[in-house]
């Protein structure tokens, strides 16, 4: 069954620690994305990647880092430099290429709480 | 700058009443517009896109380039339509921009 898997569903960390959120897809999509969802602010783009070994900063990349070593995987690291890391994080993927943009497919999200 | 504006945080309507969720955008070029929906305890999913020009679950949305709008409409709301709705835009860079969302509550 194709889809996007984010793990874990809930994550708790102490302030000052880095934490990595997992995102795996078996849809054979080229493009992958990380969004942060906060109440009243909608979805804000953190990083996106259109192809393996390449990624671009989104609107709120400060304090985050990503890697794209494999087509199926796009892990997000929330570093200690992120000032307000507690949030709901969504991973998504889409078919990339020329022509019409394909829609995003989303994971179920990871809720990160930093205390 | 690229921007998607959804002016209403919450929209409450009675069952059977018409619904219109507003979306305005700012983009220099020809963007593609989408509506995504998030039902309670479900993942965010595509509802419809402007190039398809189709009706999904009774919802339609027409792209008005003159008014830079992509409002979502349904003539008769149903209780199962209660959800969070996001308007989104994508351009040549495949970078998707989302609005802040509108929560629709359909009252019995």
């Amino acid at each position: 069954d194709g889809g996007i898997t984010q793990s874990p569903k809930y994550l708790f960390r102490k302030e000052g620690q880095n934490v990595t959120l997992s995102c795996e897809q078996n849809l054979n999509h080229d493009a992958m994305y990380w969004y942060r969802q906060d109440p009243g602010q909608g979805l804000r783009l953190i990083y996106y990647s259109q192809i393996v070994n390449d990624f671009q900063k989104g609107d709120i990349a400060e304090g985050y880092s990503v890697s794209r070593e494999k087509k199926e995987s796009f892990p997000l690291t929330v570093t200690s430099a992120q000032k307000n890391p507690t949030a709901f994080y969504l991973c998504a993927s889409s078919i990339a290429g020329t022509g019409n943009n394909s829609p995003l497919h989303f994971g179920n999200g990871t809720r990160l709480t930093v205390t | 700058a690229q921007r998607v504006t959804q002016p209403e945080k919450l929209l409450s309507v009675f069952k059977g009443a018409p619904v219109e969720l507003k979306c305005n955008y700012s983009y220099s070029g020809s963007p593609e517009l989408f509506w995504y929906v998030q039902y309670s305890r479900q993942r965010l999913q595509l509802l419809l896109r402007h190039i398809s020009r189709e009706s999904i679950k009774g919802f339609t949305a027409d792209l008005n380039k003159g008014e830079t709008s992509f409002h979502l409409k349904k003539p008769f709301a149903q209780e199962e339509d209660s959800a969070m709705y996001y308007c989104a835009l994508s351009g040549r860079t495949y970078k998707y921009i989302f609005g802040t969302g509108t929560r629709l509550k359909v009252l019995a």
Side-chain angles (χ1 to χ4, degrees):
Chain A
D1 192 20
I4 298 181
T5 302
Q6 289 186 243
S7 61
K9 189 173 180 179
Y10 299 98
L11 192 53
F12 298 89
R13 279 294 182 271
K14 295 285 188 186
E15 193 173 320
Q17 292 179 333
N18 292 353
V19 59
T20 297
L21 282 60
S22 170
C23 179
E24 304 278 330
Q25 55 100 358
N26 59 5
L27 299 168
N28 200 33
H29 285 171
D30 292 304
M32 297 187 74
Y33 309 78
W34 274 106
Y35 287 90
R36 173 178 168 143
Q37 189 176 28
D38 295 285
Q41 297 195 56
L43 276 69
R44 292 182 291 167
L45 183 63
I46 304 173
Y47 268 98
Y48 65 109
S49 167
Q50 296 178 25
I51 197 168
V52 174
N53 292 323
D54 187 42
F55 49 82
Q56 287 78 40
K57 291 182 179 180
D59 300 315
I60 55 166
E62 186 176 349
Y64 299 98
S65 65
V66 293
S67 62
R68 188 81 188 280
E69 296 176 2
K70 298 187 298 182
K71 188 175 185 178
E72 306 80 30
S73 179
F74 191 41
L76 173 74
T77 296
V78 183
T79 75
S80 57
Q82 167 51 231
K83 296 190 189 315
N84 187 20
T86 295
F88 189 64
Y89 292 87
L90 280 171
C91 180
S93 70
S94 71
I95 299 170
T98 58
N100 294 328
N101 296 328
S102 68
L104 296 175
H105 294 253
F106 285 90
N108 277 324
T110 292
R111 184 166 298 281
L112 171 65
T113 302
V114 177
T115 57
Chain B
Q2 299 180 38
R3 183 177 297 163
V4 175
T5 303
Q6 293 180 252
E8 303 138 330
K9 286 188 177 179
L10 173 66
L11 182 64
S12 296
V13 300
F14 284 102
K15 179 181 172 182
V19 174
E20 183 179 49
L21 300 170
K22 290 185 167 44
C23 173
N24 288 89
Y25 67 90
S26 172
Y27 185 79
S28 55
S30 296
E32 186 161 353
L33 275 295
F34 303 82
W35 276 99
Y36 286 83
V37 60
Q38 190 169 29
Y39 300 103
S40 179
R41 298 191 180 87
Q42 294 187 28
R43 65 180 68 194
L44 194 59
Q45 59 188 282
L46 177 71
L47 179 62
L48 53 80
R49 55 195 296 195
H50 89 268
I51 62 166
S52 300
R53 303 182 68 82
E54 58 189 346
S55 173
I56 304 292
K57 299 185 178 182
F59 284 99
T60 59
D62 292 319
L63 181 61
N64 186 324
K65 293 185 179 180
E67 296 183 358
T68 58
S69 69
F70 189 56
H71 302 328
L72 183 68
K73 299 177 183 179
K74 184 170 182 176
F76 307 103
Q78 299 172 318
E79 289 182 73
E80 54 264 35
D81 295 328
S82 295
M84 193 74 178
Y85 291 82
Y86 291 96
C87 182
L89 168 159
S90 179
R92 287 170 296 178
T93 62
Y94 308 103
K95 178 181 171 183
Y96 290 77
I97 303 295
F98 283 79
T100 51
T102 297
R103 181 168 297 283
L104 174 64
K105 283 191 177 180
V106 181
L107 309 170

